[in-house]
Amino acid sequence: MSLVDRHVGFVHALREAGLPVSLAEGLDAARAMLVIDLAERESLRAAYAATLVKKPAYRPVFDVLFDLWFPAATTGLEARPESGPDLAQASVPELRDRLARLLTGGDGPEMREFARAMVERFGRQPAGPGRQNWFSYSVLRALSPETLMAGLLQQLLAGQERGGLAEKAARQRVTSGIRRFEDAVAADVRRRIAEDSGVERISRSAVRPPLDQLDFLRVTKADLAALRREVYPLARRLAARLTIRHRKGRRGRLDFRRTMRASLQSGGVPLATHFRPPRPHKPELVVLCDASDSVASFAHFTLLLTYALREQFSKVRAFGFVDTVDEITRFFTPGADVVEAVTRLANEADMVRFGRTNYGYAFERFAERYGEAVGPRTSLLILGDARSNYQPPALDVLKSLTARCRHAYWLNPEPRRQWDTGDSIASDYGAVVPMHECRNIAQLAAFIETLA
């Protein structure tokens, strides 16, 4: 594969992974290659990163794909370590001793060379005549780097008191070394799979989308903390946008003094009236969230958003439903853990009768039990996939609710192409409440910008 082919394929892989790379930026990267030493791999990485990576959150995806398209070594041409035992013949205890030294003092190239040798020795598993598979877990199982922690701590502390700052720093140092080794093993496994199966194929499966492109329906527990950091600034922007929309077209009370002063120019006849500026206020918000299993991950995101919005609005009331509705505001106590709140919500909230989502009945029960929550100062935010198991949609009830509130919006976590398929009645509800596709942070940010 020529350098031009690798460049084009690499840029295409970045786009497929969710990184916004324009044609002009791709050309900038190609021009940068004219002024660097192409034999210096890290210089090439830096040139590509400077021209193609816009956010720090995009860097992990970039690095994984760069290592695939511009590998440090190829099978059969790996550099052999200059010191230490013959890694192909050394015993496992000898290899563990070598790994222990690398975890606390090994540099990057030496760690990567050792990881490549360990993958060659332990990561290969036959998969049929002339075929083989490569795995990280078999390397980590053979060497068990986590079990080296106790011995390394004893060595690093050298008689110092346990449990103090010195132990914490030593533990972090060893943990960081273990993570570097695991990453080096994973990178070499991906490189070998790419050689066997094709770099284009492994590029599509080796990386997760950047955080702002991560589908809410596929987030994991580990993603929630990172999502929380992204949601809070968006909540502030959402509150600001809604406040602006509240002020638009409103006038304050009559300014009698200014009006009378202006009337002196017309002989005391008040031809022009003047009004005081409207008093700014935080809008009120009602969140109505589908909490069924089909959108469970989206419900986690809804909790994060509701937590963040509580600080921006004068009043926030949240309601969850499956086939009936219950107020869940009580679970959003300041400082509460999101995962614990989800667990409490599932165990304590009265949202389920038969376990099958029923939007129509949920809307009817909401209007009957909590109709007073919606008023002229309220913004109504509905979050759900609009799949009602072929039950009556109760459109008239939804119309009456939206008629009483100031604004109403619907965020749907499903791709737009899936709307109105199966039991989805997205278009029917969208005719009553403006419905927006909201599958990730980027789309949430775009929705907030449309409110300006």
Side-chain angles (χ1 to χ4, degrees):
M1 184 183 294
S2 68
L3 182 59
V4 173
D5 292 335
R6 285 193 179 274
H7 169 79
V8 173
F10 177 52
V11 171
H12 179 69
L14 291 174
R15 293 191 184 115
E16 283 197 330
L19 272 66
V21 179
S22 67
L23 177 60
E25 289 164 344
L27 293 174
D28 288 341
R31 294 189 187 97
M33 296 167 67
L34 299 175
V35 296
I36 64 171
D37 184 358
L38 294 178
E40 294 289 338
R41 182 168 175 268
E42 292 307 310
S43 296
L44 180 62
R45 184 196 299 268
Y48 268 120
T51 52
L52 303 181
V53 180
K54 298 182 177 67
K55 294 182 180 180
Y58 296 160
R59 187 58 190 257
V61 174
F62 167 86
D63 284 331
V64 169
L65 291 176
F66 180 87
D67 289 337
L68 284 174
W69 285 89
F70 301 94
T74 56
T75 300
L77 298 177
E78 297 98 330
R80 301 185 67 86
E82 297 179 357
S83 60
D86 183 351
L87 299 181
Q89 304 296 329
S91 65
V92 171
E94 290 176 321
L95 294 175
R96 283 169 54 81
D97 288 342
R98 176 70 180 277
L99 176 59
R101 291 193 295 272
L102 291 173
L103 293 180
T104 57
D107 60 6
E110 189 177 2
M111 175 77 80
R112 289 192 292 270
E113 290 171 2
F114 180 77
R116 285 196 290 268
M118 294 302 96
V119 172
E120 176 68 24
R121 179 167 175 179
F122 299 110
R124 186 202 318 261
Q125 293 190 10
R131 298 177 56 202
Q132 55 192 0
N133 290 330
W134 300 94
F135 297 97
S136 297
Y137 82 90
S138 57
V139 179
L140 302 178
R141 182 180 60 187
L143 299 179
S144 301
E146 292 85 357
T147 62
L148 298 172
M149 176 69 77
L152 289 172
L153 285 178
Q154 184 176 3
Q155 174 185 339
L156 292 173
L157 293 176
Q160 298 182 61
E161 183 180 356
R162 302 296 295 267
L165 184 61
E167 180 180 350
K168 182 178 180 181
R171 190 178 295 274
Q172 289 178 344
R173 180 179 175 184
V174 176
T175 301
S176 176
I178 292 174
R179 296 294 170 263
R180 290 199 307 272
F181 176 67
E182 291 174 345
D183 291 343
V185 169
D188 195 62
V189 167
R190 286 193 296 266
R191 189 259 303 179
R192 293 173 186 270
I193 295 175
E195 290 180 353
D196 294 342
S197 304
V199 65
E200 296 87 354
R201 180 178 178 182
I202 190 62
S203 292
R204 288 191 290 269
S205 60
V207 297
R208 300 184 72 207
L211 186 63
D212 62 349
Q213 302 284 341
L214 189 61
D215 197 320
F216 290 138
L217 296 179
R218 292 174 174 81
V219 297
T220 64
K221 181 179 178 180
D223 298 320
L224 291 178
L227 279 176
R228 183 180 300 182
R229 292 192 294 270
E230 296 287 332
V231 163
Y232 271 91
L234 290 177
R236 290 193 293 270
R237 289 165 57 188
L238 176 59
R241 295 291 186 267
L242 291 176
T243 302
I244 292 172
R245 290 176 69 88
H246 279 206
R247 294 176 183 174
K248 185 178 180 180
R250 289 183 61 230
R251 295 188 299 181
R253 295 182 178 181
L254 176 68
D255 191 332
F256 183 77
R257 180 174 295 180
R258 289 182 60 201
T259 300
M260 293 306 298
R261 187 181 296 118
S263 71
L264 296 178
Q265 300 178 6
S266 55
V269 180
L271 298 179
T273 55
H274 294 268
F275 296 86
R276 298 181 186 276
R279 296 179 59 184
H281 64 276
K282 287 186 177 182
E284 298 176 359
L285 180 69
V286 169
V287 180
L288 192 54
C289 169
D290 181 355
S292 61
D293 291 339
S294 62
V295 289
S297 298
F298 186 55
H300 285 215
F301 159 74
T302 301
L303 290 178
L304 289 175
L305 182 61
T306 305
Y307 272 117
L309 290 173
R310 287 195 67 181
E311 299 181 2
Q312 309 300 325
F313 290 80
S314 61
K315 182 188 296 183
V316 175
R317 296 182 67 179
F319 302 86
F321 67 89
V322 178
D323 55 359
T324 189
V325 66
D326 188 20
E327 184 165 6
I328 57 176
T329 312
R330 62 187 183 276
F331 300 107
F332 301 137
T333 56
D337 182 76
V338 174
V339 177
E340 293 179 1
V342 172
T343 303
R344 286 190 58 205
L345 186 150
N347 295 332
E348 301 175 23
D350 181 20
M351 300 181 297
V352 182
R353 295 182 305 155
F354 309 112
R356 295 175 62 85
T357 312
N358 189 332
Y359 277 76
Y361 185 79
F363 290 150
E364 292 172 351
R365 291 292 291 164
F366 175 79
E368 177 185 338
R369 298 173 59 185
Y370 307 107
E372 82 288 348
V374 178
R377 295 177 58 181
T378 305
S379 292
L380 176 63
L381 186 62
I382 303 174
L383 304 105
D385 58 5
R387 293 187 176 274
S388 194
N389 288 293
Y390 304 101
Q391 301 299 316
L395 294 174
D396 55 338
V397 176
L398 184 59
K399 289 178 182 178
S400 68
L401 290 173
T402 56
R404 297 205 304 267
C405 65
R406 183 175 294 270
H407 306 297
Y409 307 99
W410 190 312
L411 302 184
N412 191 327
E414 282 196 337
R416 188 178 295 271
R417 64 181 179 274
Q418 296 180 13
W419 295 6
D420 298 325
T421 62
D423 60 341
S424 171
I425 48 176
S427 294
D428 292 340
Y429 284 135
V432 179
V433 180
M435 187 173 291
H436 303 263
E437 180 183 310
C438 186
R439 295 187 293 113
N440 50 49
I441 289 290
Q443 289 187 338
L444 176 62
F447 160 70
I448 292 173
E449 291 304 316
T450 64
L451 301 180

